[in-house]
Amino acid sequence: MNIKEAKNEIKNTVQAYLKKDEMGDYKIPSVRQRPILLMGPPGIGKTQIMEQIARECKVALVAYNITHHTRQSAVGLPFIRETSYDGKTYSVTEYTMSEIIASVYRRMEETGLQEGILFVDEINCVSETLAPTMLQFLQGKMFGNQKVPEGWVIVAAGNPPEYNKSVRDFDMVTLDRVRRIDVEADYGVWKEYAREQRIHGALLSYLELRPKNFYRVEADVDGLQFVTARGWEDLSQLVYAYEELGLPAGEEVVYEFLRHHDVAEDVAAYLELYHKYQDDYGIPEILKGCVRTEVYTRLFHAAFDERVSVVGLLTDALQSRLGQICRQKRKTDRWYDYLKEYQHTLKEEETHQTPAEQYKMLLEKLEAINQKAGRAELEENSALREKESLVREMAAFQPSAAEAKEAFGEAAAGFEQCRQQLELLEQEGEKAVEAAFDFMENAFGNGQEMILFVTELTLMTEAVQFFAQHPCERYLQYNQELLIGTRRRELLDELNQ
């Protein structure tokens, strides 16, 4: 199973476990809600999918790497308590609440969410003293003498023994009480995620050419060498930062993330070429429809690697352009909704507030909603920042008029500017898409490069959203001709050879 399939299965499980009957009881009793045991190689996104599932299911998340804990922090600290049995007093050892269980209750108080996911990573890599506690956790949903609260789904993750020498096997008694899901690295699935997360275009272009280097774990005379999905994502962030600072990401820097000498050397060389192509081909001019004749001449004689790199540069530039449009569209839609709410409050007959006070109350309400969402972590940081930025921008259009009609006009002035900006960006976006297809047709016809380009657009969330509002005939045409049936499989096989 790949990580996308695993995410869907876990999400379905969370929804099933938290489903209640008409009496308010969970349809699947807690004792029958088997913990999920997610097994897979390191760095493929197990933690990331748990964060996504929690947001999509609107539940809280408490995540722990259990290898960072001692038995005392997991079980609790012992203390002596006196108690009476049959009239006699005895000293009895009891335990304080587990740090992990306490974190669950703390999370419930912070977020106001009574249901959630308790995610425990590297559960099969614990010390010998902590191993019995982990078995108790999986078998009885307890840490020490404290049960995991009802309404909290347990998901544990671990690494297969070939990736970690400290791995411990689970016995049959434990495995008979969990739902085990085995996950494998899958570049195709990760690529969808990578596009959404804006992984650097140079790295995505490189992996189109060398997909076998996406995930590698090898042991040779030099020791263990490895490349993981996490490595590509972290390297991407550094490359973006280095570009802004004008710094090169050489082989030694790349090796700090991709711990395989051959791959690191290859990627460093490709990054250098990619940045050179960025300067040589002038992608911004191409998207304006201004293509120099020598560009076509060079591409005609260029090696396949260089041609793929140019497609990657073009795709990356389009994603940036269309992403800006999508953000402006979300901003405009939200502003419109907020204005409608303000207009509704202005029409209320029984109110002692001025239009300015009503507008201020609306902004305060929006700020409170954003703060609550931030505490609960039910939205990605980027989405939350967009909403917070809009509230600050709306504050600049605080109305001063005493009459409702004039006040609404003052408040709506900002929205009108926002709408006009969106309209301008959409017009520029349509021209950029058409210019990109002009260039691709003139440079590559309907060859392998075109199918790569159309495939990238199909995987790009920003492009899908843009085409839904602004259909592109050539995209639909090539999508039908190149991305269905046998033709698609043949071209993709040729591309990956």
Side-chain angles (χ1 to χ4, degrees), residues 195-212:
R195 271 290 171 207
E196 291 179 2
Q197 297 298 315
R198 293 300 312 276
I199 301 300
H200 198 283
L203 303 182
L204 292 180
S205 294
Y206 172 83
L207 287 171
E208 284 300 320
L209 297 165
R210 314 279 194 277
K212 293 180 180 178

Side-chain angles (χ1 to χ4, degrees), residues 112-177:
L113 300 171
Q114 300 304 303
E115 298 175 326
I117 300 170
L118 175 55
F119 177 61
V120 179
D121 200 6
E122 298 192 19
I123 194 167
N124 60 341
C125 302
V126 296
S127 64
E128 186 174 347
T129 57
L130 197 53
T133 302
M134 292 302 99
L135 295 180
Q136 178 200 32
F137 169 60
L138 290 176
Q139 294 177 14
K141 302 180 182 178
M142 296 181 69
F143 278 111
N145 59 0
Q146 301 289 329
K147 286 186 70 71
V148 175
E150 192 177 43
W152 280 73
V153 178
I154 296 173
V155 181
N159 300 323
E162 59 266 30
Y163 298 103
N164 196 321
K165 293 180 181 179
S166 60
V167 161
R168 295 174 175 275
D169 291 330
F170 292 112
D171 56 32
M172 191 184 101
V173 174
T174 301
L175 291 174
D176 194 37
R177 287 173 167 81

Side-chain angles (χ1 to χ4, degrees), residues 195 198 201 205 274 277-278 281-289 291 299 306-322 432-441 443-444 449-450 453-454 456-457 460:
R195 271 290 171 207
R198 293 300 312 276
S205 294
Y274 192 86
Y277 297 151
Q278 212 166 20
Y281 280 96
I283 301 299
E285 285 72 26
I286 290 176
L287 291 181
K288 292 177 182 177
V291 188
L299 281 174
E306 183 171 342
R307 294 156 74 94
V308 169
S309 299
V310 172
V311 175
L313 285 165
L314 188 65
T315 304
D316 211 33
L318 266 182
Q319 183 174 22
S320 179
R321 184 76 61 89
L322 299 182
V433 169
E434 293 299 329
F437 272 103
D438 287 342
F439 171 76
M440 291 297 299
E441 287 176 343
F444 308 115
E449 297 83 1
M450 181 63 86
F453 178 66
V454 178
E456 291 296 319
L457 291 179
M460 191 188 300

